[in-house]
Amino acid sequence: MKTKIAILGAGRWGTHLVRNFASHPDAQLVAVVDSSMERLTQLKERLNLNDNVVLADNWQSIQSQIKCDAVVIATPAVTHYSLIQDALQQGFHVLAEKPLTLDAAECQQLSDLARQQQRQLMVDHTYLFHPAVEQGKAVVQSGCLGELRYGYAARTNLGPVRQDVDALWDLAIHDIAIFNTWLGEQPVQVQATGRVWLQRQEGSVGAGLTNNLSQETANVTKPALLEEHDLADFVYVILTYPTGFQAYIHLCWLNPDKQRRLGVVGSQGTLIFDEMQNDAPLTLQHGYFEQSGDVFTPAGLRREVIEIERREPLAQVCDRFLQSIRDNQPVSVSSGWVAAQLVNILSCLSQSLQQGGTPIKVPQLAE
């Protein structure tokens, strides 16, 4: 029997979810809800949706008219908590776009509610289902990189610019999730600094505005403090893990140099996940130093392409969600608990960002 699916939100990412569930052999798309009926009409034509799929601009108005087993939520993050809570209380399984909510305590509450209702709650951390990330975890944990030293990532592009969360909340969650998965641990301390150009509060220091000081003087004498409602366009993140490993992440939605690159550096080489390299997204750059007295000579330099399966990560997300419903088992790699941990880290990074880069200890969540 096919799982009946209703999707809330038909924006950029919601459209991809509609496409995947509409074509999945184990799913029956019964409804798509979005505030714009024009967008829904265009979506129906573009994807050639079945006439039986209900299109509506209000979820509450059609709940009693349709029969569905699960709700997929691809709406702005600020709306997630109430929509997910309602869906679980109505007895629906839920797949939610990341982040689950903007508050770790709310994430835990929703995870507890899903258990009480005996319903599956999964979060669309798409990169955790990317074949390069799955294979990269095996490479890192094999020990072939030698002693792990540090990690780096860059996630930049010219847009899309969001109005509900800043670049930190929009972009960092992907790289944090990958580092956590590859390392098999959670950061214990975080730092973040950033700048605001596009969506700044009037008079915000973080936006570079000062009283009786030139811009150049302000940059030297004052930390880049951000107001609570500023939406940072650029953020630089440092994650410190229990082993002392540190990861450095550059995030920006105001940079036309599109980058989707992450690396883990070890004493014997570097594992690189570069999403922009379609032919070889996962590579292992071998290399180390041979020392003779005070001289360090590079040795063993060679590039190895790591073979991966060719499959769409989001299709894997949708497939695993449907499987979790059939098996009545949570997807451990992207559960509500994993989402709560990531939101907890992001909350600490936001605190550091507003304090001009102050190191913040990450509290451990009680499962």
Side-chain angles (χ1 to χ4, degrees):
M1 182 179 296
K2 293 186 176 184
T3 302
K4 296 179 175 62
I5 302 286
I7 297 180
L8 312 188
R12 183 179 63 91
W13 199 244
T15 297
H16 293 303
L17 287 161
V18 171
R19 171 177 56 82
N20 272 279
F21 280 113
S23 62
H24 198 290
D26 296 331
Q28 179 184 346
L29 183 63
V30 298
V32 182
V33 182
D34 190 89
S35 59
S36 170
M37 287 302 299
E38 179 181 1
R39 182 158 47 202
L40 289 171
T41 302
Q42 293 172 349
L43 181 64
K44 179 180 180 179
E45 294 176 355
R46 186 164 70 251
L47 299 181
N48 194 26
L49 297 181
N50 191 298
D51 289 337
N52 293 329
V53 177
V54 176
L55 304 179
D57 59 5
N58 187 292
W59 170 232
Q60 300 297 332
S61 66
I62 66 167
Q63 281 194 49
S64 61
Q65 303 173 22
I66 62 172
K67 292 184 178 180
C68 73
D69 305 302
V71 174
V72 177
I73 295 175
T75 58
V78 293
T79 68
H80 283 189
Y81 180 75
S82 59
L83 287 173
I84 296 169
Q85 182 185 51
D86 176 70
L88 291 172
Q89 290 174 340
Q90 295 294 326
F92 301 129
H93 303 281
V94 175
L95 170 63
E97 187 182 8
K98 61 79 186 170
L100 179 56
T101 75
L102 300 177
D103 181 86
E106 290 183 346
C107 293
Q108 289 179 292
Q109 291 169 16
L110 292 175
S111 296
D112 291 341
L113 178 59
R115 282 195 293 266
Q116 294 167 10
Q117 296 292 101
Q118 297 184 342
R119 289 296 177 266
Q120 299 306 316
L121 172 61
M122 180 178 169
V123 185
D124 178 16
H125 296 299
T126 311
Y127 279 91
L128 298 184
F129 298 85
H130 195 296
V133 173
E134 294 174 335
Q135 187 63 28
K137 177 181 178 181
V139 173
V140 171
Q141 297 188 355
S142 73
C144 70
L145 295 179
E147 177 189 351
L148 299 185
R149 289 178 168 163
Y150 74 97
Y152 59 88
R155 190 168 294 272
T156 68
N157 198 11
L158 196 61
V161 177
R162 294 179 58 165
Q163 286 77 47
D164 57 330
V165 293
D166 60 11
L168 171 68
W169 280 82
D170 184 36
L171 302 174
I173 195 167
H174 301 303
D175 298 309
I176 298 171
I178 295 171
F179 279 124
N180 290 358
T181 298
W182 281 10
L183 299 172
E185 57 183 6
Q186 304 285 321
V188 293
Q189 179 177 288
V190 298
Q191 294 173 257
T193 54
R195 294 295 300 273
V196 182
W197 289 281
L198 299 180
Q199 300 176 92
R200 60 190 184 187
Q201 295 294 106
E202 190 67 28
S204 166
V205 174
L209 303 179
T210 58
N211 294 321
N212 303 319
L213 286 173
S214 69
Q215 177 67 58
E216 291 76 15
T217 304
N219 286 339
V220 172
T221 61
K222 289 193 175 185
L225 301 177
L226 275 73
E227 299 298 325
E228 182 178 358
H229 299 294
D230 280 337
L231 296 180
D233 306 299
F234 161 81
V235 181
Y236 192 77
V237 164
I238 301 175
L239 310 174
T240 302
Y241 289 84
T243 56
F245 182 96
Q246 288 188 313
Y248 304 85
I249 307 175
H250 169 201
L251 308 160
C252 188
W253 59 32
L254 194 61
N255 183 350
D257 176 21
K258 185 174 182 178
Q259 300 178 77
R260 295 287 186 271
R261 199 167 192 265
L262 181 147
V264 169
V265 181
S267 58
Q268 299 298 309
T270 299
L271 180 65
I272 302 166
F273 172 35
D274 190 341
E275 197 178 351
M276 306 306 295
Q277 301 298 318
N278 293 327
D279 294 336
L282 188 66
T283 57
L284 178 53
Q285 183 63 56
H286 295 271
Y288 54 90
F289 276 125
E290 290 182 345
Q291 184 176 1
S292 178
D294 295 334
V295 177
F296 295 88
T297 304
L301 293 172
R302 64 184 178 90
R303 179 175 179 266
E304 177 185 354
V305 175
I306 307 297
E307 295 297 328
I308 63 171
E309 294 183 41
R310 297 293 175 175
R311 60 178 190 266
E312 183 188 2
L314 184 58
Q316 294 297 115
V317 170
C318 298
D319 189 68
R320 290 288 296 277
F321 178 57
L322 293 169
Q323 182 182 338
S324 74
I325 295 173
R326 292 194 303 271
D327 298 342
N328 196 30
Q329 292 292 328
V331 181
S332 59
V333 72
S334 198
S335 64
W337 170 245
V338 171
Q341 291 177 311
L342 289 168
V343 169
N344 185 43
I345 295 166
L346 287 169
S347 297
C348 292
L349 283 166
S350 285
Q351 184 180 347
S352 177
L353 186 62
Q354 292 175 12
Q355 296 178 12
T358 301
I360 302 295
K361 299 291 184 183
V362 181
Q364 298 302 304
L365 299 181
E367 189 170 2

